[in-house]
Amino acid sequence: ENPDYRWVDFRKLIQTPYLHISGPDSISVDSLSGKYILIDFFYQSCRPCILSFKKLKELYQINNASKNLVIIGVDPVLQDSSSMGKFKKRYKLEHDVIVGSFANSINSIFNPVGIFPFQILINPKGEIIETQEGYSEVFFKKLEEIISK
């Protein structure tokens, strides 16, 4: 039985030594402190997931200057990060992606039903304030408004 994900501190979860990340930077608790965190659950052959990448990239670029948003992808299907670099390059993804068994663990806590894409927005206090199942442009507009405040 899955615990209520609202009580899971994602910042503590990432301290595991089993974490495999494909990205330019190492995710650390310090890098998440005081920022909005958008967790994007996807898998590589998911068409709606791929549609959301353009919006994720726009959101990342808008907020990159202010550094108030961290986007973390979670691919629970991919078990080896070796092909993630090529995938990220193909879709021009700039954010880090967690893969492997740790991605499966995160997915089982936050996305136990297995809906993709699935996004969670965590505010700087560490509270989950928005979730979205499936692709929605309305959701991304709402995110822009929340984060720009």
Side-chain angles (χ1 to χ4, degrees):
E1 188 168 320
N2 292 308
D4 187 336
Y5 64 77
R6 289 171 292 188
W7 302 110
V8 176
D9 187 341
F10 186 77
R11 290 170 293 188
K12 289 182 181 170
L13 275 177
I14 65 160
Q15 295 179 47
T16 177
Y18 305 108
L19 184 60
H20 295 108
I21 299 174
S22 172
D25 302 311
S26 177
I27 299 171
S28 68
V29 174
D30 291 338
S31 73
L32 302 178
S33 180
K35 298 178 182 177
Y36 286 96
I37 304 166
L38 179 62
I39 306 171
D40 176 47
F41 294 87
F42 74 96
Y43 62 94
Q44 292 186 17
S45 60
C46 167
R47 187 89 174 116
C49 300
I50 292 169
L51 286 174
S52 71
F53 293 159
K54 181 179 177 187
K55 293 294 182 184
L56 286 171
K57 183 171 174 60
E58 289 171 7
L59 197 61
Y60 181 87
Q61 290 175 337
I62 289 167
N63 292 283
N64 196 31
S66 62
K67 306 247 186 243
N68 65 339
L69 173 68
V70 175
I71 299 174
I72 302 171
V74 177
D75 182 346
V77 175
L78 186 65
Q79 294 302 307
D80 179 0
S81 63
S82 63
S83 66
M84 184 54 72
K86 185 177 178 181
F87 181 81
K88 286 177 60 176
K89 188 174 182 177
R90 178 179 178 190
Y91 290 102
K92 300 178 175 84
L93 300 177
E94 299 178 42
H95 58 274
D96 293 322
V97 177
I98 299 170
V99 301
S101 60
F102 187 65
N104 284 327
S105 298
I106 295 171
N107 190 63
S108 67
I109 294 168
F110 289 96
N111 186 21
V113 178
I115 296 172
F116 298 96
F118 179 64
Q119 287 100 11
I120 297 173
L121 182 65
I122 301 171
N123 70 13
K125 296 176 186 175
E127 304 162 332
I128 294 174
I129 57 172
E130 294 291 334
T131 62
Q132 174 62 42
E133 297 175 349
Y135 175 73
S136 168
E137 289 194 25
V138 173
F139 175 71
F140 284 103
K141 288 187 188 304
K142 188 174 186 179
L143 291 182
E144 287 177 35
E145 292 171 11
I146 292 170
I147 295 167
S148 66
K149 289 181 183 177

